[in-house]
């Protein structure tokens, strides 16, 4: 598949096009231009490195939403075996914006649940752009309980613009569905690992994000509101989105510094989509580590640590009052 | 009437007259629902419910607590917890300045006030939102005060009541704000484990992160009449689905009809209703 480039990657795109052109020329050329190609490839690498070393928060949120970025089902295929998808909330419908089921990770049975976005126009619509409705959260809830019952650890993959703001979603209790997941995840008697693989969009992400250990891919984002949404409310102009992105502190590095996530998983140069195989390998190693650590803990201690962590969220001061 | 007044066009004359009749600020109040002009004192003695049309006016957190709790033996929980500006957030105004200005205007430090006391002699902890404090938004202080309220309940074996009025998350605290959803919901698992009731009262408006966490987790969920309650704001939904929203969408009556809440209770009966519910859930003698 041809890589599609973001606006700020245009210099890389131009260079890639030039390399492509030279390669094409070389095929029916008597002159050896492989040296030149090599030189340009090196230049391309260092240029990508330069650009990616100083990405702004807004640029990172573009990478997090890149149309070629690996999605939940790609990670399931790359990291797990024997995936058995389980469908439906047993009450209303099966929501394709959340997928989940049993699988094996390094041979060990686990429950894996994630938001799912679509790749082309048709699939995007089918997956509702990764924006779940209440039945999606209720399916996730059912699978959490199922995992707990049979002692399977849970891995959640987070990638959503947010919960779907629709009429039917409100009628069927979007708020309650999210709230119930936060409640149940806080007391679920099995280890839970969360990985933000793309967009961590507010409450819709959090409903899969109350976990023992929260990882975030390097160029993923996690935010209480989208930069565009925040800009249009507080700055009264969606054009201030890049300022809002910076101010909101939505990137993995800033959230790690603030103690709101546990681990940043490095991405390949240019983002996960440039080298999915390498991305899988890095994430696999991180998951192996963490799963072993969490599974060595007895469940009561695990729950105590989870509650302690949840209770520690927030920044405030304490002042003596009369 | 002087010769000058006779010469003036009648419009100006009337305008002058109207100016003279202006009522002193604060004595009268106009009901936004039925346009009736009401005596402030009538409205106050009626729990800020319009005596003409029953519209429930928005009220302050302290007034709310006065309407619910017995007058004596109450004390505030978590007043020592006060906001900071963890992100050094600045939009058109600094968050720090916004906080200062709001605090000075309202005399409150943040959007949630928690009090331990009793409701018709039944001991309880009651939390109430101050909607005027940045739209009752949920920040770190709101979350921490909520949790301290819940923990006080566990310590004293008393039920917890939370009366919500909030637009949702406080954007100026970024992800710290979002995490309060997880924090408050987790605290409720501890309350449940202690076998203590949580009654959630939803008032106008209860939206976003507040409705998508503790507010929808009540053992019993009560709403005030016509309160706007939902996850996404009506404008966002309208823009997303490009449809006009049905009549009464996201109102308390709509939620009752769709099975999302237990009951709608008039503010003037709220105190009695809460006492009945918690005495029943705690297997205590009925209150008079």
């Amino acid at each position: 598949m041809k890589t599609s480039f973001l606006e700020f990657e245009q210099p890389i795109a131009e260079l890639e096009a030039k390399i492509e052109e030279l390669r094409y020329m070389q095929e029916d050329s008597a002159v050896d231009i492989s040296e030149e190609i090599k030189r340009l490839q090196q230049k391309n690498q260092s240029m990508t490195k330069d650009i990616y070393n100083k990405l702004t928060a807004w640029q990172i949120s573009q990478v997090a939403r890149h149309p070629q970025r690996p999605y939940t089902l790609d990670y399931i295929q790359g990291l797990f075996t024997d995936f058995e998808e389980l469908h439906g909330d047993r009450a209303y419908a099966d929501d394709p914006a959340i997928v989940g089921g049993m699988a094996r990770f390094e041979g060990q049975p686990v429950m894996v649940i994630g938001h799912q976005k679509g790749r082309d126009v048709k699939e995007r619509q089918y997956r509702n752009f990764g924006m779940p409705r209440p039945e999606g959260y209720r399916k996730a809830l059912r699978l959490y309980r199922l995992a707990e019952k049979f002692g399977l650890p849970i891995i959640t993959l987070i990638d959503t613009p947010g919960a779907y703001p629709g009429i039917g979603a409100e009628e069927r209790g979007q708020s309650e569905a999210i709230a119930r997941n936060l409640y149940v995840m806080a007391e679920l008697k099995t280890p839970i690992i969360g990985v933000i693989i793309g967009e961590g969009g507010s409450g819709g992400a959090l409903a899969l994000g109350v976990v023992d250990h929260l990882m975030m891919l390097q160029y993923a984002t996690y935010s209480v509101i989208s930069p565009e949404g925040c800009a249009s409310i507080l700055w009264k102009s969606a054009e201030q989105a890049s300022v809002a992105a910076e101010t909101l502190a939505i990137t993995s590095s800033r959230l790690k510094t603030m103690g709101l996530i546990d681990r940043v998983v490095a991405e390949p140069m240019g983002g996960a989509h440039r080298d999915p195989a390498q991305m899988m390998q890095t994430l696999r190693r991180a998951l192996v580590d963490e799963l072993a650590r969490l599974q060595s803990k007895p469940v009561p201690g695990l729950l105590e640590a989870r509650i302690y962590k949840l209770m520690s969220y927030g920044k405030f001061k304490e002042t003596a009052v009369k | 009437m002087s010769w000058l007044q006779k010469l003036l066009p009648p419009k100006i004359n009337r305008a002058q007259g109207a100016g003279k009749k202006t009522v002193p600020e604060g004595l009268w109040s106009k009901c936004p629902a039925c346009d009736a002009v009401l005596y402030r004192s009538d409205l106050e003695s009626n729990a800020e419910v319009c005596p003409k049309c029953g519209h429930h006016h928005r009220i302050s957190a302290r007034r709310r607590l006065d309407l619910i709790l017995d007058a004596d033996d109450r004390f505030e929980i978590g007043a020592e917890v006060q906001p900071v500006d963890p992100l050094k957030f600045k939009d058109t105004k600094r968050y720090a300045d916004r906080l200062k200005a709001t605090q000075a205007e309202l005399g409150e430090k943040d959007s949630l006030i928690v009090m331990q006391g009793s409701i018709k002699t039944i001991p309880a902890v009651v939390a109430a939102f101050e909607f005027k404090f940045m739209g009752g938004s949920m920040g770190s202080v709101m979350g921490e005060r909520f949790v301290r309220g819940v923990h006080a309940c566990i310590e004293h074996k008393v039920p917890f009541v939370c009366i919500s009025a909030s637009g949702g998350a406080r954007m100026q605290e970024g992800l710290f704000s979002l995490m309060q959803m997880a924090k408050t919901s987790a605290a409720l698992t501890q309350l449940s484990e202690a076998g203590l009731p949580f009654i959630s009262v939803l008032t106008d408006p209860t939206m976003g992160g507040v409705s998508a966490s503790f507010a929808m987790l009540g053992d019993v969920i009560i709403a005030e009449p016509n309160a706007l309650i939902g996850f996404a704001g009506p404008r966002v939904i309208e823009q997303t689905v490009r449809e006009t929203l049905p009549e009464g969408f996201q109102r308390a009556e709509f939620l009752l009809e769709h099975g999302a809440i237990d009951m709608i209770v008039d503010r003037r009966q709220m105190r009695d209703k809460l006492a009945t519910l918690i005495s029943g859930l705690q297997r205590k003698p009925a209150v008079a």
Side-chain angles (χ1 to χ4, degrees), chain A residues 11 27 33 44 53 78 84 152 162 232 237 240 242 265 269 275 312:
Chain A
E27 279 169 23
I33 46 173
N44 185 358
N53 273 341
E84 292 294 343
L152 306 182
S232 69
S237 149
Q240 298 294 312
S242 61
V265 182
M269 184 55 61
D275 192 348
S312 72

Side-chain angles (χ1 to χ4, degrees), chain B residues 27-47:
Chain B
L27 193 56
W28 296 87
S29 184
K30 196 169 165 186
C31 175
C34 71
D35 282 345
V37 178
L38 310 163
Y39 266 122
R40 269 285 343 141
S41 59
D42 281 358
L43 201 54
E44 261 166 44
S45 62
N46 202 37

